[in-house]
Amino acid sequence: MHDLACPEISFDSCLKCNACVVSCPVSNVTLDFGGPKHLGPELKRLIENQEFIDDSRIEFCTLCGNCDMACPENVNVSTLTAFAKASHSELGGSKFRDLILSNAELVGKVASTFAPLANMAMKMKPVRKVMEGVMGIPAERIFPEYRFNNFNRVYNKTTANTHRKVAYFVGCYATYNAPEVAKSFVNVMEYNGIEVAKPKQKCCGVPMFSNGRMKKGLKNANDNVNNLLQYTRQGYDVVLTCTSCTMALKKEYVSFLQSEEANELAEHVYDADEYLRMLYEEGELNTHFGQMNVKAGYYAPCHMKSQGIGTPALDVLGLIPGYEISDAAAGCCGQCGTFGFKKEKYEVSIAIGKQMVEAVEETGADYIVTECGMCKNSMHQLTDKEVKHPMQILSEAYEKAQNR
Amino acid sequence: MYDVVVVGQGLTGLLSAIWAKERGNHVALVSQGTGKILQSTGLIDGSPGMGEKENTMAAERAAVAASEKFKTLMNNLGYPYHGQLNKPAPIVTGSGYVKWTSLYPETITPVPEEGNVVIAGFQEIVDFKAVYVKENLQKERPKLNIEAVTVRLKKHSSRTMTQLDAARVLEQKEARLNVIGQMRNEMTKQNISHPRLIVFPAALGVNRWKSIVREFEESLDAAVTEAPGMPPNASAVRFYEALKKGAIRLGVRFYMDTQVLGCHVEENLVKSLKIKTTNRTTEISGLNYIIASGGILGGGVEVTSAGLKDRVLGLEVDEFGQYTNCPHNVFPVGASQGTKVTRYGITGGMFSILSSYEANSRLNRLAKEDKHA
Ligand SMILES: Cc1cc2nc3c(=O)[nH]c(=O)nc-3n(C[C@H](O)[C@H](O)[C@H](O)COP(=O)(O)OP(=O)(O)OC[C@H]3O[C@@H](n4cnc5c(N)ncnc54)[C@H](O)[C@@H]3O)c2cc1C
Ligand code: SF4
Ligand code: SF4
């Protein structure tokens, strides 16, 4: 046995209706995965009543959360699978590769320091062949590039002095791979007269949870909760541009930590578009946008959908004159964080992604808008379409209005 | 602030949201999970369990208009439905019984009275046994000449395979060729030629059903049909996915994994709903609210020792689950209208269509009156 106690008790409400299985992107492309019903509530029920079972098929679960969205009985299926993953890794140990992949923050720090070299190496066939052989990272898979001028090098403001104050949880992707997203966000806030502070923060833990490194993930979660509460207790709102980090702060920290503090923090957490939509509804949003004649397609990341906030990116971008945007209604992207970087998962990952591409291509859009960097990576792998973050577009629309 | 907030993601909620959106409303759909549509057959029943002539709705003008509107919608969504309210169609199910239904998707063909019919099962799918289907169908249709054929999908699975799994397997070309080859061999062996109809489980592909059905028909030289049975049926999954995709593409905003916990009422108008997504409780507001939470079966109403309790708005309901004092801007649809609305207290797909249609017409009338006032 191991010492990871799963606090989730909702498994008893499962009616075995299969709605979660039907909606699981992984179950839908491979018969090798046991599926959410079996590896979630059924496994937990068995373990509660009999003895501990370690089922290696759990490795296929990506923690995308589609099972939670499907379940009509409010079973928190992905919390159950997250703990099943954790006990499986706890017992079997993690592969060296998974330790690396789950440490997005360390990889980001190192890779961005040696950015030009690291990016170049990741594009060299011989290097990738060795990585595939030694580490099981598929040679065909494109990796996001790292930036030397990462956001930590360029932005160090730790306080805000405006009426509304934002504490920005940047996340590893916008910090190391896409500082332009982070800069656009600060810009957009500036146009609304809101100062942005960047609190001390650690990786949100999502890559650790999805690699079964629950203990390490919970440690980060606790640190982040403590750091961010110091801000929310002074009237800051915590705002994020990465939908997976947002999901972690709103949902996973509360489910996994089961602490008062995690609950308190979750009340103050907003997705960036959700925040702007709220400003709009309160009559506070600067709607002085320049004209943009664009037909864009929106791709909703799974971790955006499971926040239960509608589709705020469409609501906010829809305010830009001339800007036409419609939802592709596509399923999961298949990259699923670190999942698509693994050799034994690569085929499944691509099979999931193909369905996304079909839906996205049906929109006939000029480019694709999405919040998630990993979905963007999958899109890069499978289509030629350009991909932008909503904050980049909003920032551009504000600038256009200035330059008119 | 939305124009219309719909609660429920079953057939009733999805249709109500789509039709409200088509009229230019800003629409949100809130649901704690999927509806019964995923466990259904994908057939639209007049009143469930009805016999050939029992459809009580066939005579209503509104019902005919609603069913036509529904058929137009499904046609546009790429998953057409056929059939007529006043002429229920006989459909063979996954257990071999004949069921009468109002509307059925294009992958389904009504079962004939006489002629040659082949039942084709897959060895890996335990929920559909060709021999058993044959025996039952023979009792119901004595004039049919029925043969049973069982072939293998030849796929290893680490879980019990369902009809939906088979449907996903059949999306692959080599799997289809393999099945068609075995079918031909078996049919030659058993001396079966030119059957009128070949009956498969509800597994003829998910997204590519159209070309898959055609491929089977052309290479086996017979009409084919799906016989929906134990869920998940591909016929139902396609139905749900078509409606959901249609709603999202139209611009309906989905609040998923979100439970409605109650509402705030002022002067007999609902001002906002209290909603909970896993761990956070917030609010959502609209001008009008469509309640499509499925009644007792859908989870909107709970049976307690103290009588029926409304689990959505938290308002008082009577012994039939109807709101005793329904706020002016609340429109219950489908099974949320109470247990009295259909003969056996069970609403079928056709009632979902009719009541969504009527609620939308009422909403539209109200909006017009508002404009004139
Ligand atoms: C197993 C089964 C199979 C069936 N098969 C068929 C069939 O083949 N053909 C047929 O015509 N009819 C069938 N029926 C009848 C079926 O009930 C209706 O056809 C119809 O689908 C009901 O749809 P609905 O949208 O009204 O309710 P449901 O499909 O029950 O949907 C209710 C929705 O409300 C949501 N909800 C409930 N409470 C809350 C809350 N508090 N907050 C947020 N969301 C909430 C649920 O999550 C769900 O999305 C079947 C019924 C069952 C139970
Ligand atoms: S979290 Fe995603 S991959 Fe895991 S069981 Fe649920 S739906 Fe499937
Ligand atoms: S959707 Fe929920 S109730 Fe249905 S099988 Fe999955 S966990 Fe159980």
Side-chain angles (χ1 to χ4, degrees):
Chain A
M1 259 313 272
H2 58 83
D3 54 354
L4 272 167
C6 168
E8 189 54 50
I9 47 163
S10 62
F11 61 92
D12 250 348
S13 331
C14 173
L15 297 178
K16 299 180 184 281
C17 74
N18 264 316
C20 51
V21 184
V22 169
S23 313
C24 169
V26 179
S27 297
N28 281 340
V29 298
T30 176
L31 295 164
D32 293 334
F33 181 45
K37 170 173 69 97
H38 183 61
L39 296 176
E42 283 180 3
L43 188 64
K44 174 76 175 160
R45 202 177 278 171
L46 276 172
I47 291 176
E48 288 285 302
N49 294 330
Q50 292 165 24
E51 59 183 16
F52 178 75
I53 302 166
D54 176 33
D55 191 325
S56 63
R57 291 176 299 175
I58 196 67
E59 285 178 11
F60 274 101
C61 170
T62 67
L63 297 186
C64 67
N66 280 291
C67 43
D68 298 338
M69 289 186 258
C71 179
E73 304 303 322
N74 291 324
V75 178
N76 297 322
V77 190
S78 76
T79 305
L80 296 165
T81 57
F83 276 91
K85 286 177 84 74
S87 17
H88 175 63
S89 319
E90 192 76 10
L91 288 169
S94 301
K95 291 196 175 89
F96 174 63
R97 175 202 61 199
D98 297 356
L99 292 178
I100 299 285
L101 286 177
S102 65
N103 209 332
E105 196 172 6
L106 180 68
V107 172
K109 271 185 198 151
V110 176
S112 63
T113 307
F114 301 104
L117 271 177
N119 293 333
M120 210 163 68
M122 289 307 279
K123 286 186 189 139
M124 289 181 354
K125 274 218 177 103
V127 175
R128 295 301 300 271
K129 275 285 162 217
V130 171
M131 281 177 72
E132 174 163 324
V134 177
M135 290 180 57
I137 292 179
E140 303 87 350
R141 174 59 87 189
I142 297 176
F143 266 75
E145 293 199 351
Y146 287 89
R147 298 296 164 74
F148 179 73
N149 275 324
N150 72 49
F151 194 59
N152 282 342
R153 287 188 201 270
V154 297
Y155 200 81
N156 290 308
K157 195 171 152 62
T158 51
T159 54
N161 296 303
T162 39
H163 167 60
R164 276 195 190 271
K165 297 191 281 268
V166 161
Y168 180 27
F169 189 92
V170 191
C172 300
Y173 181 76
T175 302
Y176 299 109
N177 304 101
E180 63 278 10
V181 169
K183 283 182 210 152
S184 300
F185 171 69
V186 174
N187 234 1
V188 168
M189 288 297 140
E190 224 164 68
Y191 275 107
N192 283 285
I194 300 173
E195 283 186 14
V196 175
K198 192 183 69 172
K200 224 172 101 194
Q201 50 194 281
K202 289 196 169 157
C203 166
C204 70
V206 164
M208 293 153 192
F209 300 140
S210 63
N211 280 290
R213 301 187 63 212
M214 181 64 85
K215 285 181 185 164
K216 181 82 179 71
L218 291 184
K219 194 167 170 309
N220 279 24
N222 261 322
D223 289 348
N224 285 330
V225 169
N226 292 336
N227 284 337
L228 293 171
L229 278 181
Q230 290 175 22
Y231 281 82
T232 56
R233 287 177 181 163
Q234 292 177 51
Y236 283 78
D237 299 312
V238 177
V239 184
L240 300 88
T241 48
C242 167
T243 42
S244 294
C245 303
T246 317
M247 247 269 302
L249 267 62
K250 279 183 178 178
K251 175 176 163 182
E252 288 170 334
Y253 286 8
V254 184
S255 296
F256 298 172
L257 290 172
Q258 301 263 325
S259 71
E260 282 294 319
E261 289 80 12
N263 245 317
E264 183 187 334
L265 175 64
E267 297 289 325
H268 301 275
V269 176
Y270 299 85
D271 162 77
D273 295 297
E274 180 191 20
Y275 194 68
L276 293 169
R277 182 179 64 187
M278 182 191 73
L279 293 183
Y280 179 68
E281 281 173 355
E282 313 260 311
E284 293 175 36
L285 186 77
N286 170 4
T287 51
H288 198 50
F289 296 114
Q291 176 91 17
M292 284 177 83
N293 296 324
V294 170
K295 186 173 179 286
Y298 176 68
Y299 172 78
C302 297
H303 287 169
M304 196 291 297
K305 293 182 198 162
S306 58
Q307 288 177 41
I309 52 174
T311 324
L314 295 185
D315 297 334
V316 177
L317 292 174
L319 298 170
I320 302 173
Y323 199 85
E324 241 185 84
I325 182 161
S326 62
D327 195 325
C332 176
C333 76
Q335 170 69 53
C336 314
T338 60
F339 185 81
F341 293 133
K342 301 178 181 179
K343 190 170 179 217
E344 71 283 8
K345 315 280 166 32
Y346 187 70
E347 215 177 293
V348 170
S349 163
I350 294 291
I352 299 174
K354 281 209 172 117
Q355 301 181 0
M356 160 196 75
V357 167
E358 273 172 33
V360 162
E361 274 170 1
E362 275 168 29
T363 62
D366 302 338
Y367 58 78
I368 300 299
V369 178
T370 194
E371 293 95 330
C372 175
M374 290 300 114
C375 300
K376 177 176 171 170
N377 199 55
S378 177
M379 211 101 60
H380 270 171
Q381 178 101 38
L382 298 166
T383 74
D384 301 330
K385 286 235 190 288
E386 197 187 342
V387 185
K388 298 189 187 191
H389 190 283
M391 291 307 128
Q392 293 175 285
I393 296 154
L394 288 168
S395 170
E396 195 184 330
Y398 279 131
E399 269 154 28
K400 278 206 162 150
Q402 291 290 306
N403 302 337
R404 228 178 1 205
Chain B
M1 171 67 107
Y2 292 94
D3 296 320
V4 181
V5 176
V6 179
V7 181
Q9 209 199 145
L11 174 58
T12 320
L14 285 165
L15 277 179
S16 300
I18 289 175
W19 284 337
K21 182 71 201 172
E22 279 180 348
R23 292 194 200 267
N25 293 298
H26 190 35
V27 182
L29 187 152
V30 185
S31 78
Q32 64 188 27
T34 50
K36 293 294 170 269
I37 190 171
L38 275 181
Q39 285 87 49
S40 81
T41 55
L43 300 168
I44 303 291
D45 297 342
S47 35
M50 72 173 177
E52 186 175 1
K53 295 199 174 57
E54 258 193 296
N55 191 349
T56 43
M57 266 177 279
E60 289 180 43
R61 269 229 329 267
V64 176
S67 73
E68 289 308 313
K69 191 176 165 75
F70 168 77
K71 282 198 269 182
T72 309
L73 170 69
M74 294 315 295
N75 212 16
N76 294 339
L77 295 179
Y79 190 48
Y81 268 71
H82 302 286
Q84 271 164 356
L85 282 199
N86 56 3
K87 266 201 238 135
I91 306 295
V92 56
T93 67
S95 54
Y97 289 105
V98 172
K99 159 191 174 87
W100 295 87
T101 198
S102 296
L103 310 173
Y104 48 90
E106 196 155 296
T107 53
I108 289 176
T109 306
V111 59
E113 287 283 345
E114 48 190 18
N116 294 341
V117 168
V118 174
I119 315 287
F122 302 117
Q123 213 165 60
E124 294 90 340
I125 308 299
V126 289
D127 290 337
F128 185 101
K129 287 280 161 249
V131 181
Y132 169 68
V133 174
K134 171 187 156 165
E135 275 171 24
N136 286 336
L137 182 61
Q138 194 71 72
K139 282 182 217 143
E140 301 236 344
R141 283 281 191 274
K143 284 191 252 165
L144 279 183
N145 180 25
I146 313 173
E147 300 293 346
V149 167
T150 300
V151 296
R152 292 179 52 216
L153 289 166
K154 296 192 183 157
K155 289 280 169 193
H156 169 78
S157 176
S158 81
R159 56 177 196 258
T160 314
M161 273 178 86
T162 64
Q163 310 200 62
L164 179 66
D165 290 325
R168 304 228 188 252
V169 168
L170 289 178
E171 298 249 308
Q172 301 157 17
K173 178 118 193 129
E174 50 61 52
R176 287 199 297 279
L177 291 180
N178 149 41
V179 163
I180 289 168
Q182 291 179 64
M183 288 282 301
R184 281 199 180 129
N185 283 345
E186 279 298 315
M187 284 163 67
T188 320
K189 236 199 272 170
Q190 296 187 34
N191 258 330
I192 308 169
S193 63
H194 302 296
R196 271 184 80 173
L197 186 65
I198 305 181
V199 179
F200 284 94
L204 298 177
V206 185
N207 300 320
R208 293 178 221 301
W209 61 272
K210 206 176 229 162
S211 59
I212 294 171
V213 168
R214 201 183 317 121
E215 191 176 330
F216 274 93
E217 293 193 325
E218 282 170 4
S219 25
L220 298 170
D221 195 19
V224 303
T225 189
E226 292 187 304
M230 284 292 282
N233 291 291
S235 47
V237 173
R238 281 181 219 119
F239 186 29
Y240 168 66
E241 286 182 353
L243 286 169
K244 184 161 180 195
K245 199 169 179 179
I248 294 177
R249 288 198 170 166
L250 268 175
V252 173
R253 305 290 196 250
F254 279 69
Y255 288 66
M256 287 185 279
D257 202 6
T258 301
Q259 189 180 13
V260 179
L261 295 176
C263 68
H264 174 66
V265 190
E266 263 174 42
E267 292 171 14
N268 213 23
L269 287 175
V270 168
K271 293 288 173 191
S272 63
L273 303 181
K274 190 171 154 195
I275 57 174
K276 181 172 175 248
T277 307
T278 323
N279 299 315
R280 287 168 95 234
T281 305
T282 50
E283 292 203 337
I284 186 169
S285 51
L287 296 173
N288 292 293
Y289 300 85
I290 295 183
I291 309 301
S293 53
I296 296 169
L297 280 177
V301 173
E302 192 186 359
V303 185
T304 72
S305 54
L308 300 182
K309 284 263 173 316
D310 169 31
R311 286 285 170 234
V312 183
L313 301 180
L315 300 177
E316 197 191 335
V317 290
D318 64 16
E319 60 196 292
F320 304 108
Q322 276 175 314
Y323 288 118
T324 34
N325 185 15
C326 186
H328 291 315
N329 58 347
V330 169
F331 301 81
V333 283
S336 292
Q337 289 184 354
T339 53
K340 254 193 332 201
V341 290
T342 55
R343 183 138 55 133
Y344 306 110
I346 305 173
T347 60
M350 195 50 226
F351 187 74
S352 293
I353 295 175
L354 173 61
S355 64
S356 308
Y357 175 85
E358 287 181 332
N360 245 284
S361 308
R362 268 175 62 208
L363 260 177
N364 196 38
R365 263 200 315 276
L366 285 178
K368 276 192 185 142
E369 281 167 22
D370 272 357
K371 243 187 215 156
H372 288 298

